[in-house]
Amino acid sequence: MKKQKQGIIRSPKGMHDMLHGDIRYLERISEIAREVAEFYGFLPIQTPHMEDAQLFLRPLGETSDVVEKEMYTLRTKGGDFFALRPEGTAPVVRAYFENGMGSWPQPVKLYYEGSFFRHEKPQRGRFREFRQFGAEALGSDDAVLDALIIKIAYFILREIGFSAKGGPASGWKNNLLVHINSIGDKACRPGYKKELTNYYRKKFNYLCKDCKRRLKDNPLRVLDCKEPGCAEIKTQSPQMIEHLCEACKTHFKSVLEFLDEAQIPYLLDNYLVRGFDYYGRTVFEIFLEDGKKEAVGLPAEEKGGEHQSAQVALVGGGRYDDLAAILGSKPLSAVGFSMGMERLIHEMKRFEIKPKAHPQTKIFLIHIGPAAKKRSFTLMEELRVAGIDAGESISRDNLKTQLNIAAKIGAKLALILGQKEAMDGTIMMRDMDDSLQETVLQSKLVEKIKAKLKKK
Ligand code: HAM
């Protein structure tokens, strides 16, 4: 709990109110993301915020940081063991089977957005409640879908305004870069793990405390460590790419060819493993590489679902052909990504990318006296229905105050309703630029406003 100020209850640590300023950024991201996803045939889905905890335990990995220490779980009075969803992929796979999507034309393509919960150490770029936009393509192992998923994530970021082009006056550049790797499948990964374990065993004494434990539980996780000593040892360690079986090699090559075709810049990151057990074959993260200080960065010791780097990822994803089987369902090949909305908002501000513009209110309705106030109360709704974007401050009765507000929001026209006008069905229309005023019939108001605004 945050420190309470004189009995005032505060929001839980790592969970924040999001006010309209940030929500405008969020809206811009969602609008673009939805548009791109829908264009490529993805359909929206919403899954519950709470799920049976079993849904996450094995798919994410009993030894993953999220399952080990970051899940919010609760036992209900009825004895159910639930978890606040820490991620969206396992719930989408559950929903696929529960809703009979196996009988739909494959692949089934779904997108989602909403809040996720991880009990992490809160710091910049890492929250306990955070929002993601994600997309999953289920029911095919075609490499083109891995590339499509990466392409969609990449082009959403491009549409938002991140790119390889130079920024405004400051001349900064921000460069989106996809870090990509293949971690093989059930056939070839065990051999690699064995070789990795043998290599690290020889260096055991030089590993950090966590890696000594990781080596026993899941040797791939050792590659995720950013402790300087472990990072140094990693540089000589065996690489998965050299241990891929023919099928995985062909698949990965094909993914890269599609990325080349779409001219998406990528970096082969041989040590990218990601933090959940459900991944197989393609894994990727998207970073913003730039020279600007203050990038969303985290100290090395922090571990999440993602691979750690000097900067944290904006997007993470990959193929998870074994997830359904881990859950005890029929096999289901699938690939997906999700992007962190708070991190995107932070980067948008840093790179002066505009949020969603709010339409400027050009009309302001002012009342003088009780009868006019009553009439304003209904007139405002008539304007809304007629599609006129009007503002008012109906709880303020002072004329000067209302005029000041009209000027402050930059209204072009003030509609002034006095007692007399309220009685005889007219209204004064004042041009805020030259203060010229004319009286018009309320029944003709909408067409008068439209004609007047056309000239502005
Ligand atoms: P993830 O890497 O754990 O993957 O999260 C994806 C993105 O969510 C990260 O790149 C980051 O932008 C954001 N994120 C994660 N944790 C936090 C946090 N504590 N605070 C703020 N932002 C955060 C997944 O969640 C997978 N379900 C992705 C996926 C979809 N794989 C296949 N399909």
Side-chain angles (χ1 to χ4, degrees), residues 369-387:
K373 187 170 184 166
K374 269 198 184 141
R375 176 68 190 112
S376 292
F377 195 60
T378 51
L379 184 55
M380 198 60 189
E381 180 59 12
E382 290 165 27
L383 292 174
R384 189 190 69 78
V385 170

mmCIF file of all heavy atoms in Angstrom, residues 369-387:
data_model
loop_
_atom_site.group_PDB
_atom_site.id
_atom_site.type_symbol
_atom_site.label_atom_id
_atom_site.label_comp_id
_atom_site.label_asym_id
_atom_site.label_seq_id
_atom_site.Cartn_x
_atom_site.Cartn_y
_atom_site.Cartn_z
ATOM 1 N N GLY A 369 -30.455 34.067 -16.360
ATOM 2 C CA GLY A 369 -31.732 33.964 -15.644
ATOM 3 C C GLY A 369 -32.276 32.548 -15.621
ATOM 4 O O GLY A 369 -31.912 31.713 -16.456
ATOM 5 N N PRO A 370 -33.193 32.292 -14.649
ATOM 6 C CA PRO A 370 -33.691 30.925 -14.413
ATOM 7 C C PRO A 370 -34.464 30.321 -15.580
ATOM 8 O O PRO A 370 -34.290 29.148 -15.893
ATOM 9 C CB PRO A 370 -34.603 31.074 -13.190
ATOM 10 C CG PRO A 370 -34.440 32.464 -12.695
ATOM 11 C CD PRO A 370 -33.692 33.274 -13.685
ATOM 12 N N ALA A 371 -35.304 31.122 -16.264
ATOM 13 C CA ALA A 371 -36.093 30.552 -17.376
ATOM 14 C C ALA A 371 -35.139 30.128 -18.497
ATOM 15 O O ALA A 371 -35.306 29.072 -19.115
ATOM 16 C CB ALA A 371 -37.101 31.577 -17.895
ATOM 17 N N ALA A 372 -34.120 30.966 -18.753
ATOM 18 C CA ALA A 372 -33.133 30.664 -19.806
ATOM 19 C C ALA A 372 -32.321 29.423 -19.429
ATOM 20 O O ALA A 372 -31.992 28.608 -20.281
ATOM 21 C CB ALA A 372 -32.215 31.862 -19.999
ATOM 22 N N LYS A 373 -32.045 29.303 -18.128
ATOM 23 C CA LYS A 373 -31.265 28.137 -17.677
ATOM 24 C C LYS A 373 -32.034 26.847 -17.979
ATOM 25 O O LYS A 373 -31.470 25.859 -18.451
ATOM 26 C CB LYS A 373 -31.005 28.278 -16.170
ATOM 27 C CG LYS A 373 -30.062 27.230 -15.605
ATOM 28 C CD LYS A 373 -29.665 27.600 -14.181
ATOM 29 C CE LYS A 373 -28.656 26.638 -13.593
ATOM 30 N NZ LYS A 373 -28.040 27.140 -12.390
ATOM 31 N N LYS A 374 -33.372 26.898 -17.698
ATOM 32 C CA LYS A 374 -34.201 25.710 -17.963
ATOM 33 C C LYS A 374 -34.214 25.377 -19.447
ATOM 34 O O LYS A 374 -34.097 24.230 -19.852
ATOM 35 C CB LYS A 374 -35.641 25.970 -17.481
ATOM 36 C CG LYS A 374 -35.833 25.533 -16.071
ATOM 37 C CD LYS A 374 -37.307 25.378 -15.752
ATOM 38 C CE LYS A 374 -37.464 25.032 -14.283
ATOM 39 N NZ LYS A 374 -38.605 25.716 -13.691
ATOM 40 N N ARG A 375 -34.375 26.432 -20.267
ATOM 41 C CA ARG A 375 -34.443 26.204 -21.728
ATOM 42 C C ARG A 375 -33.090 25.654 -22.239
ATOM 43 O O ARG A 375 -33.061 24.767 -23.086
ATOM 44 C CB ARG A 375 -34.810 27.529 -22.431
ATOM 45 C CG ARG A 375 -34.816 27.449 -23.939
ATOM 46 C CD ARG A 375 -35.953 26.560 -24.487
ATOM 47 N NE ARG A 375 -35.795 26.322 -25.905
ATOM 48 C CZ ARG A 375 -35.503 25.130 -26.460
ATOM 49 N NH1 ARG A 375 -35.392 24.069 -25.703
ATOM 50 N NH2 ARG A 375 -35.354 25.007 -27.756
ATOM 51 N N SER A 376 -31.990 26.191 -21.693
ATOM 52 C CA SER A 376 -30.644 25.717 -22.093
ATOM 53 C C SER A 376 -30.493 24.228 -21.850
ATOM 54 O O SER A 376 -29.834 23.522 -22.606
ATOM 55 C CB SER A 376 -29.555 26.386 -21.265
ATOM 56 O OG SER A 376 -29.479 27.710 -21.570
ATOM 57 N N PHE A 377 -31.106 23.795 -20.733
ATOM 58 C CA PHE A 377 -30.990 22.397 -20.313
ATOM 59 C C PHE A 377 -31.460 21.448 -21.425
ATOM 60 O O PHE A 377 -30.891 20.391 -21.659
ATOM 61 C CB PHE A 377 -31.828 22.206 -19.042
ATOM 62 C CG PHE A 377 -31.535 20.952 -18.289
ATOM 63 C CD1 PHE A 377 -30.271 20.697 -17.794
ATOM 64 C CD2 PHE A 377 -32.534 20.011 -18.070
ATOM 65 C CE1 PHE A 377 -29.998 19.533 -17.103
ATOM 66 C CE2 PHE A 377 -32.271 18.845 -17.377
ATOM 67 C CZ PHE A 377 -30.997 18.614 -16.895
ATOM 68 N N THR A 378 -32.560 21.870 -22.146
ATOM 69 C CA THR A 378 -33.064 21.006 -23.236
ATOM 70 C C THR A 378 -32.421 21.382 -24.581
ATOM 71 O O THR A 378 -32.196 20.527 -25.418
ATOM 72 C CB THR A 378 -34.599 21.122 -23.374
ATOM 73 O OG1 THR A 378 -34.931 22.506 -23.448
ATOM 74 C CG2 THR A 378 -35.307 20.488 -22.205
ATOM 75 N N LEU A 379 -32.121 22.681 -24.767
ATOM 76 C CA LEU A 379 -31.549 23.129 -26.049
ATOM 77 C C LEU A 379 -30.218 22.425 -26.325
ATOM 78 O O LEU A 379 -29.915 22.054 -27.462
ATOM 79 C CB LEU A 379 -31.347 24.659 -26.014
ATOM 80 C CG LEU A 379 -30.856 25.296 -27.313
ATOM 81 C CD1 LEU A 379 -31.762 24.946 -28.484
ATOM 82 C CD2 LEU A 379 -30.761 26.810 -27.170
ATOM 83 N N MET A 380 -29.441 22.216 -25.284
ATOM 84 C CA MET A 380 -28.143 21.562 -25.426
ATOM 85 C C MET A 380 -28.317 20.180 -26.076
ATOM 86 O O MET A 380 -27.555 19.802 -26.963
ATOM 87 C CB MET A 380 -27.537 21.436 -24.025
ATOM 88 C CG MET A 380 -26.081 21.184 -23.997
ATOM 89 S SD MET A 380 -25.111 22.456 -24.778
ATOM 90 C CE MET A 380 -23.528 21.631 -24.744
ATOM 91 N N GLU A 381 -29.337 19.449 -25.641
ATOM 92 C CA GLU A 381 -29.574 18.115 -26.196
ATOM 93 C C GLU A 381 -30.023 18.219 -27.659
ATOM 94 O O GLU A 381 -29.640 17.390 -28.494
ATOM 95 C CB GLU A 381 -30.611 17.382 -25.335
ATOM 96 C CG GLU A 381 -30.963 15.980 -25.781
ATOM 97 C CD GLU A 381 -29.785 15.008 -25.826
ATOM 98 O OE1 GLU A 381 -28.699 15.327 -25.294
ATOM 99 O OE2 GLU A 381 -29.959 13.939 -26.446
ATOM 100 N N GLU A 382 -30.836 19.282 -27.961
ATOM 101 C CA GLU A 382 -31.268 19.461 -29.359
ATOM 102 C C GLU A 382 -30.040 19.692 -30.253
ATOM 103 O O GLU A 382 -29.971 19.191 -31.373
ATOM 104 C CB GLU A 382 -32.239 20.650 -29.467
ATOM 105 C CG GLU A 382 -33.605 20.355 -28.823
ATOM 106 C CD GLU A 382 -34.448 21.633 -28.586
ATOM 107 O OE1 GLU A 382 -34.255 22.620 -29.318
ATOM 108 O OE2 GLU A 382 -35.267 21.625 -27.650
ATOM 109 N N LEU A 383 -29.063 20.448 -29.745
ATOM 110 C CA LEU A 383 -27.841 20.707 -30.520
ATOM 111 C C LEU A 383 -27.052 19.409 -30.717
ATOM 112 O O LEU A 383 -26.552 19.119 -31.795
ATOM 113 C CB LEU A 383 -26.962 21.753 -29.818
ATOM 114 C CG LEU A 383 -27.543 23.169 -29.769
ATOM 115 C CD1 LEU A 383 -26.658 24.079 -28.918
ATOM 116 C CD2 LEU A 383 -27.670 23.761 -31.174
ATOM 117 N N ARG A 384 -26.964 18.605 -29.657
ATOM 118 C CA ARG A 384 -26.204 17.340 -29.758
ATOM 119 C C ARG A 384 -26.805 16.438 -30.816
ATOM 120 O O ARG A 384 -26.112 15.904 -31.686
ATOM 121 C CB ARG A 384 -26.204 16.619 -28.399
ATOM 122 C CG ARG A 384 -25.252 15.425 -28.358
ATOM 123 C CD ARG A 384 -25.441 14.579 -27.102
ATOM 124 N NE ARG A 384 -26.716 13.867 -27.101
ATOM 125 C CZ ARG A 384 -26.954 12.765 -27.798
ATOM 126 N NH1 ARG A 384 -26.017 12.236 -28.565
ATOM 127 N NH2 ARG A 384 -28.136 12.176 -27.752
ATOM 128 N N VAL A 385 -28.180 16.321 -30.780
ATOM 129 C CA VAL A 385 -28.860 15.445 -31.734
ATOM 130 C C VAL A 385 -28.655 15.962 -33.167
ATOM 131 O O VAL A 385 -28.516 15.185 -34.111
ATOM 132 C CB VAL A 385 -30.364 15.341 -31.371
ATOM 133 C CG1 VAL A 385 -31.162 14.646 -32.458
ATOM 134 C CG2 VAL A 385 -30.523 14.600 -30.047
ATOM 135 N N ALA A 386 -28.587 17.307 -33.322
ATOM 136 C CA ALA A 386 -28.406 17.893 -34.658
ATOM 137 C C ALA A 386 -26.939 17.825 -35.110
ATOM 138 O O ALA A 386 -26.599 18.299 -36.191
ATOM 139 C CB ALA A 386 -28.884 19.346 -34.648
ATOM 140 N N GLY A 387 -26.076 17.261 -34.282
ATOM 141 C CA GLY A 387 -24.670 17.093 -34.672
ATOM 142 C C GLY A 387 -23.840 18.358 -34.502
ATOM 143 O O GLY A 387 -22.772 18.482 -35.097
#
